[in-house]
Amino acid sequence: MKRQMKKAAALAAAALLALSVAGCSEKTDPASAAGSQSEEKKGTVVVYTSESQDLVTDMLEDFKAKTGYDYSLFRSGTGDVIAKLNAELQTGSTEANVLWFADIGYLYQLDEQGLIEHYTPAGADQIDSKFNYNDSMAFEVRQIFNIIAVNTLKNTVEIKDWYDLCDPALSGKFAMANPSYSGGAFTTLVAHVNNDQLGWQFYEDMKANDIKFEQSNGNLQTKISSGEYMAVSVVDFMIRNAQNEGAPVEIIWPESGAVMVPTPVAMLSNVPEENQAACRALMDYMLSENGQKFFVEQGYIPVSENVGVPEGAPNVSDIKVMDMALDSFIQDSSAIREQFETIFTAN
């Protein structure tokens, strides 16, 4: 009898052990799960961009955390990014997978050469079709506007519109980014010279008023905040972020219109197969709700109408935007650059 009881106990223990082992095999260990996800998410997206180094890095880190894909980044001014890309393409290939900078005309040139992959990200159907360029050649993922900013402690001029920047009181105290380096500044130049109220005369008059040029919008943000300049032409999100951090700066939305600066994201057509999934995932992320909310947290006005706007930003419907002929941007870029150089290098 005792022997039977011991046998039964042994069988019960064996059954419990078997159930325990089975249960352990069904549970997912967090460490092993992370390892398997890492194995599944092979591939790296190589981004060439002119966007702000700290903000684009933070965004890519969020993308990496949410998707498991890694990234590599080259960041410089739009002119430098294009120069690097051109030099690489002349050798027959480039390391770049995804392009993100403020020269939509150049993207059209690449597209004409068959170098852009027409990929429609998930979420593209949730945004205005105007942010879809040339049948999915590239997409706007957040909105940037070139505006006027003033230092509220230093500025003595009533500024309502662009031509007010030619006031003699601003002589040597107004600056903008150099269009030869900054894609945003070049876009603004194109919009201005095609505007009937401004044109090239506006730049002739600003030259006579001793306009200053900085290499980047980041320099402008720093120097308007410190009071080195009384006013600057600069992208809106930088001033909004500086203002929220306590800098004595204010955004002036020009009466004739701010300049909407296209900064589209595009995927190259020659992306290696091992990186294609990562590239598509990045494009998807940027238009996802998570991505759009992250842009808002960074101070950008999103392209999605469902995630709100940053603190201190106006509603998009309240922003007057200066008309810009996209055809002129694409076709006349070289001539506009040459004319700009002629004005500002002539004695």
Side-chain angles (χ1 to χ4, degrees):
M1 183 68 176
K2 288 182 179 180
R3 184 177 296 174
Q4 290 177 343
M5 292 178 64
K6 287 181 179 180
K7 183 177 180 180
L11 290 171
L16 287 171
L17 178 61
L19 287 171
S20 175
V21 171
C24 288
S25 65
E26 289 173 2
K27 289 183 179 180
T28 303
D29 177 74
S32 64
S36 69
Q37 182 189 55
S38 175
E39 291 174 2
E40 291 173 1
K41 299 299 178 76
K42 291 180 180 178
T44 297
V45 54
V46 182
V47 181
Y48 280 23
T49 186
S50 64
E51 302 306 308
S52 301
Q53 179 83 44
D54 54 343
L55 296 180
V56 72
T57 300
D58 288 346
M59 183 277 293
L60 288 170
E61 284 294 322
D62 188 66
F63 160 73
K64 180 179 178 179
K66 285 185 169 63
T67 67
Y69 288 110
D70 206 351
Y71 68 89
S72 177
L73 177 66
F74 171 75
R75 189 273 160 195
S76 190
T78 296
D80 285 354
V81 175
I82 290 175
K84 175 178 173 62
L85 190 59
N86 281 338
E88 291 176 346
L89 290 173
Q90 287 177 4
T91 69
S93 65
T94 174
E95 294 181 358
N97 300 153
V98 169
L99 306 179
W100 190 18
F101 48 68
D103 193 332
I104 190 170
Y106 180 76
L107 290 182
Y108 273 88
Q109 293 174 22
L110 293 181
D111 195 37
E112 289 176 358
Q113 300 172 48
L115 295 175
I116 300 293
E117 178 76 20
H118 284 233
Y119 172 70
T120 303
D125 58 340
Q126 300 298 311
I127 65 173
D128 195 308
S129 60
K130 69 182 180 182
F131 298 128
N132 177 343
Y133 298 107
N134 199 28
D135 192 24
S136 300
M137 173 194 76
F139 285 84
E140 210 69 65
V141 294
R142 74 281 190 276
Q143 301 179 72
I144 294 177
F145 300 92
N146 208 287
I147 47 80
I148 301 167
V150 297
N151 183 292
T152 57
L153 301 179
K154 299 289 186 177
N155 180 50
T156 60
V157 178
E158 183 179 14
I159 300 174
K160 294 183 178 180
D161 212 346
W162 293 105
Y163 236 113
D164 294 330
L165 300 172
C166 298
D167 189 305
L170 288 173
S171 178
K173 293 296 182 180
F174 167 74
M176 66 181 295
N178 190 331
S180 298
Y181 178 84
S182 166
F186 181 72
T187 301
T188 302
L189 171 67
V190 174
H192 284 165
V193 300
N194 282 286
N195 182 274
D196 292 339
Q197 298 176 6
L198 299 173
W200 283 111
Q201 188 61 49
F202 176 52
Y203 283 83
E204 296 276 7
D205 292 347
M206 285 200 295
K207 179 185 179 182
N209 206 36
D210 195 21
I211 181 178
K212 303 299 182 184
F213 291 101
E214 295 289 339
Q215 189 178 45
S216 68
N217 281 280
N219 291 349
L220 293 169
Q221 178 194 27
T222 299
K223 293 186 178 184
I224 191 66
S225 296
S226 68
E228 182 171 339
Y229 295 122
M230 289 167 55
V232 294
S233 171
V234 66
V235 288
D236 64 314
F237 74 91
M238 287 190 174
I239 301 304
R240 188 161 46 247
N241 289 347
Q243 190 175 43
N244 290 337
E245 293 171 2
V249 293
E250 179 183 358
I251 292 177
I252 307 295
W253 293 91
E255 290 181 348
S256 60
V259 177
M260 196 276 186
V261 180
T263 53
V265 178
M267 178 178 168
L268 288 171
S269 59
N270 58 353
V271 174
E273 184 176 354
E274 63 269 20
N275 287 350
Q276 289 180 9
C279 293
R280 294 189 178 101
L282 177 60
M283 303 279 283
D284 292 347
Y285 163 85
M286 287 180 161
L287 290 184
S288 70
E289 183 176 356
N290 283 332
Q292 289 292 291
K293 286 182 176 178
F294 197 83
F295 285 135
V296 172
E297 292 173 6
Q298 291 187 315
Y300 295 111
I301 295 175
V303 291
S304 171
E305 298 179 354
N306 304 319
V307 296
V309 295
E311 180 183 353
N315 291 323
V316 176
S317 59
D318 295 331
I319 299 175
K320 184 174 181 180
V321 179
M322 182 175 288
D323 291 335
M324 184 181 70
L326 189 58
D327 288 345
S328 177
F329 198 120
I330 298 169
Q331 299 170 9
D332 304 332
S333 289
S334 296
I336 291 173
R337 291 183 193 279
E338 290 175 7
Q339 180 67 12
F340 174 80
E341 293 293 337
T342 298
I343 292 173
F344 287 96
T345 58
N347 294 329

